[in-house]
Amino acid sequence: MGGTNPYLKDPEYTLPQRKYQITFRHEGGETVVEIDPAKIPYGRDGLPGSILDIALAHGIALDHACGGVCACSTCHVIVREGGASCNASSDQENDQLDNAPGLTPKSRLGCQCVPDGTSDLVVEVPDWNRNLVREAPH
Ligand code: FES
């Protein structure tokens, strides 16, 4: 699944105008990726240019059970640095985040958080959120 949720109003966000970097901290260490505004959207999951969109395009494992339409909390990330350059979280995002384990003041849904590129980011992918939702083997 991907795209947008037809029952929710799209949150407001500003796409970057210049290249910037996100350092992803995850179970396996750190991965630094450079975001090129010309390549946004990278894929179909999450808002264009969202942390989920960027993570999946760069091989960063980030669960996204609802396909990035703000209908779960499996894409929970913690924006450790650079959060001020991201769009404000919507009421719908905050409602979903309430269900996320390990919630922090810097928590966001990766599929709804769109940096504007005015600063670099450090984003933590919580270990408990990776590979949390998987189909059972057939
Ligand atoms: S993937 Fe479901 S809310 Fe982000």
Side-chain angles (χ1 to χ4, degrees):
M1 189 159 81
T4 58
N5 187 331
Y7 301 105
L8 299 178
K9 197 173 129 242
D10 265 352
E12 292 183 12
Y13 57 89
T14 303
L15 290 174
Q17 300 299 311
R18 64 174 183 83
K19 292 182 179 177
Y20 71 102
Q21 289 186 337
I22 298 181
T23 301
F24 285 97
R25 291 183 182 156
H26 47 81
E27 208 172 30
E30 282 192 357
T31 303
V32 180
V33 303
E34 183 175 84
I35 293 84
D36 181 352
K39 294 183 179 169
I40 294 173
Y42 285 99
R44 296 181 57 228
D45 294 318
L47 293 175
S50 65
I51 288 174
L52 177 67
D53 184 29
I54 293 163
L56 296 180
H58 293 86
I60 311 292
L62 179 57
D63 275 328
H64 50 290
C66 76
V69 297
C70 200
C72 70
S73 60
T74 60
C75 64
H76 174 208
V77 294
I78 301 167
V79 181
R80 292 288 181 201
E81 294 176 25
S85 70
C86 301
N87 61 332
S89 57
S90 66
D91 290 344
Q92 292 92 346
E93 179 180 349
N94 291 331
D95 286 349
Q96 293 298 339
L97 269 174
D98 283 343
N99 300 319
L103 197 62
T104 80
K106 296 186 173 188
S107 290
R108 294 293 306 264
L109 291 181
C111 69
Q112 301 297 302
C113 182
V114 181
D116 67 10
T118 55
S119 72
D120 292 339
L121 270 68
V122 176
V123 173
E124 181 180 328
V125 179
D127 291 348
W128 61 78
N129 230 26
R130 298 184 64 238
N131 307 316
L132 190 64
V133 179
R134 288 280 181 266
E135 287 188 12
H138 298 279

